[in-house]
Amino acid sequence: MTAWTMTDLLPHRPPMVLVDRLLSFDDDNAIVQADIRPDHPFLRPQGVAAHVGMEMMAQACGVHVGALARQAGTGVRLGFLLGTRSYVAHLSWFPPGAVLDVLVHRVFNDDGMGVYDCRILLAGAEAAAAQLSLYQPPDQETALARLRGEHG
């Protein structure tokens, strides 16, 4: 486990930080944990709907990139989820109190584009899997201005 908090590694801020701990990482992999706690922003009586797992996976990819940036002594940068391939959930809800292991493996990285194979494990069994495509723009300020509809 690393000493970095999720807000050290992600541009997100609570309550939208959906992952809780970085357990390990290397150049191409990370293991992140997500707790289905009572203050989870998407908690319902049944738990957290499994489709939220896609954002947990995206944030775990962001944690991986953020950890690599911190390790290199550079800042954490904004990233965008562009799409997913075949998100498969083997259950409808992540139960209250569950601790999910989110495993991400980078299979492609070039000029800000990345593709990750992702899995969510619940008690060691696969609960969800997908392949995510992500992008980190080289000029964050311009990208944010475009998102806000500012031109210049």
Side-chain angles (χ1 to χ4, degrees):
M1 193 170 331
T2 69
W4 294 311
T5 67
M6 296 301 92
T7 56
D8 292 335
L9 302 175
L10 292 170
H12 301 66
R13 293 298 169 253
M16 292 311 298
V17 176
L18 303 184
V19 292
D20 294 281
R21 284 171 299 289
L22 172 60
L23 297 183
S24 66
F25 75 99
D26 60 30
D27 287 345
D28 293 314
N29 303 282
I31 301 173
V32 176
Q33 285 187 323
D35 299 332
I36 307 302
R37 56 188 186 280
D39 65 341
H40 194 286
F42 297 104
L43 185 66
R44 302 293 178 261
Q46 311 90 313
V48 171
H51 66 265
V52 177
M54 193 180 323
E55 177 62 18
M56 291 177 193
M57 290 175 177
Q59 287 189 20
C61 295
V63 165
H64 177 248
V65 173
L68 292 174
R70 291 281 180 177
Q71 186 177 53
T74 60
V76 172
R77 295 177 33 219
L78 182 67
F80 297 99
L81 172 61
L82 297 181
T84 185
R85 272 202 162 155
S86 58
Y87 180 76
V88 176
H90 303 291
L91 44 82
S92 299
W93 298 90
F94 300 123
V99 176
L100 306 174
D101 292 318
V102 186
L103 288 66
V104 298
H105 171 71
R106 184 170 58 188
V107 295
F108 175 80
N109 181 43
D110 185 45
D111 199 28
M113 292 291 301
V115 176
Y116 281 81
D117 287 334
C118 306
R119 298 173 59 215
I120 296 176
L121 306 180
L122 173 61
E126 185 174 279
Q131 187 176 77
L132 303 184
S133 298
L134 303 116
Y135 178 65
Q136 275 193 314
D139 181 354
Q140 292 190 78
E141 291 308 314
T142 300
L144 288 172
R146 286 184 180 157
L147 284 174
R148 291 188 295 261
E150 301 167 6
H151 303 283

